[in-house]
Amino acid sequence: MLHFLLTLLIQPTFSYLITLADRQAILSPVQTTLAAFPTLPTGLDLLQTSTEEIGTFLKNGSLSSVDLVKAYLFNIEKNNHQGLNLRAVIQAAPLRGDVINIAARLDEERQAGTVRSPLHGIPILVKDNIATEPELGMNTSAGNFAFKESVVKEDAEVIRKLRDAGAIIIAKTNLNEFAGWKGILEFWDEGIPNGWSAVGGQTSSAYVEGGFAAGGDPLGSSSGSAVGVSAGFGAAALGTDTGGSVISPASRAALYAMRPTTGLVSVTGVVPISKDLDTVGPMGFTTRGIAILLDALTFSDGRLPLLAASPEVEKTLKATAETLAEKAGAEVIDVNMDLSTGDLDDIDTAIMTIMETSAREDMEEYMGRLEKSPVRTLRELIEWNEAHAELELPPGTCCQQRLLDSLLSPGRDSTRYAEAWETVQRLGRDRGLGHLFDRHNLDALVFSPDLGFVTAMTAALGYVEGTAPMGYCENGAPFGILFITKPGEEKKLLGILAGYEEIMPKRKIPGPVARVAK
């Protein structure tokens, strides 16, 4: 596994801030009744213009939030289930519902001199395992038909914070069902594909002609959030992450994204895998864009100040490291963790034990708090899926092994669970990532998400991760660079991403989407 380590990257010049018919209805084109794409100001490109730049258009009066909402809904209607058939969105905010009224009220507030935050009046995509109040006109399904029938009591804490900041929830995005915890991920044509859920169908990369079947794997589990932003369905997005689920799909969509320190962002109201590992992370076109989102998700008093202004992958990573050394003054060294292949297998087994054990307890706690639901326990959920196999277990998406394994797992008070955490700390921290930081006095580790599975280890240890665009495969699929800092070092990581963004070329927009738009 190739990876580089940074002892110094760049001193940032900025300060940091239920029937089959039901399935067909869900998978049919979103009808927004928009007759035409609204007129937007010159220089505004929904495939590239960042959150902060959109805020400038709103501030100078050349753009309204109402028109912005209509533009994103138009793009969703055009390419989600029609056109490129990206299936990034499970459910868009109904045009005839409250979303236009919300946008209009936020426009009125702005005209009256009230701007709640840099997110005021900006449409955001949200992964569909994050609870949103029924008044917004969208369910919280986690990609599962039983959960689609459930009713949440209130917004997740992160949604409450976004709405208080003036953000508009424009759509709920597709995902690996239950964030990848329904069945084993597809390998060699067996298992469940990345970006597939029973409710949402198969998400495809916006960058690859021919979609998923032509190699457009969006990675997961926050597939729809990443693809949706890259395709111009929303200004930025929230994903959830238990081990790579924000970083990997964002990397594949040429986005900037962050997995914050575990526990920094509330996961109350998020359909869980493991409260020990789960978090919520932002995705966007720029470092500043994700900093704006992170600020809204964490504190409301400005304590996080905003930032101002394969062999193919391995080769590009080496070249990028050389660029960082040359242009940013970074000292880059190439080393390895003090871990054998057997140690890595032991870490993976331990993390899986933690997730299996947590999933049963945490999912049942979530189900128990629902206002209404056809399932309240993991066993009931498994049986519901089996009874509705035509919806939940269609051919090519076998099966629900993760849920079954969790059903048989020991509790958090078991010796096996305690031993799993001891293994993660002893190998992952003392001889893995922590060993590298301490031995070499590093500011950051640098990997590519495509070169080995390190994200599960970083999630288990609570490290901070950020990705940024780095290169593109022959079929057009992007791949990113991955930076890792110690827990609590979000400020340092955002500074590193900002420095990287300043010296590297601007991200490319998806060719297929751009061609459809012409």
Side-chain angles (χ1 to χ4, degrees), residues 328-348:
E331 182 181 351
V332 183
I333 55 176
D334 183 13
V335 300
N336 285 291
M337 292 179 280
D338 184 24
L339 296 171
S340 66
T341 301
D343 292 332
L344 292 173
D345 289 341
D346 289 344
I347 293 172
D348 286 343

Side-chain angles (χ1 to χ4, degrees), residues 384-451:
W384 197 99
N385 290 340
E386 292 287 352
H388 299 82
E390 75 282 4
L391 297 173
E392 284 294 330
L393 304 169
T397 61
C398 182
C399 296
Q400 47 180 338
Q401 191 61 46
R402 294 290 187 222
L403 297 180
L404 290 166
D405 290 344
S406 296
L407 188 65
L408 301 174
S409 64
R412 280 192 169 99
D413 58 352
S414 67
T415 300
R416 182 181 167 196
Y417 182 75
E419 290 175 345
W421 272 114
E422 189 277 331
T423 297
V424 169
Q425 296 297 322
R426 175 172 50 84
L427 296 179
R429 183 190 62 190
D430 298 343
R431 290 171 52 194
L433 300 181
H435 165 77
L436 295 179
F437 274 110
D438 295 341
R439 180 177 180 180
H440 300 283
N441 192 28
L442 304 172
D443 287 305
L445 305 175
V446 184
F447 297 81
S448 172
D450 289 61
L451 293 177

Side-chain angles (χ1 to χ4, degrees), residues 77-107:
E77 181 176 357
K78 185 174 183 179
N79 280 320
N80 194 54
H81 291 103
Q82 303 181 81
L84 295 175
N85 193 32
L86 297 175
R87 296 185 184 271
V89 165
I90 280 183
Q91 192 171 15
L95 184 65
R96 296 184 183 277
D98 204 35
V99 67
I100 295 298
N101 293 332
I102 291 172
R105 288 197 296 269
L106 291 166
D107 282 335

Side-chain angles (χ1 to χ4, degrees), residues 27 99 101 134 139 151 190 206 242-243 245 253 278 300 311 371 442 513-514:
L27 299 183
V99 67
N101 293 332
N139 300 311
V151 177
E190 295 182 359
T242 310
S245 290
D278 294 343
S300 58
E371 189 74 23
L442 304 172
V513 180

Side-chain angles (χ1 to χ4, degrees), residues 219-232:
L219 300 184
S221 65
S222 304
S223 315
S225 292
V227 172
V229 174
S230 73

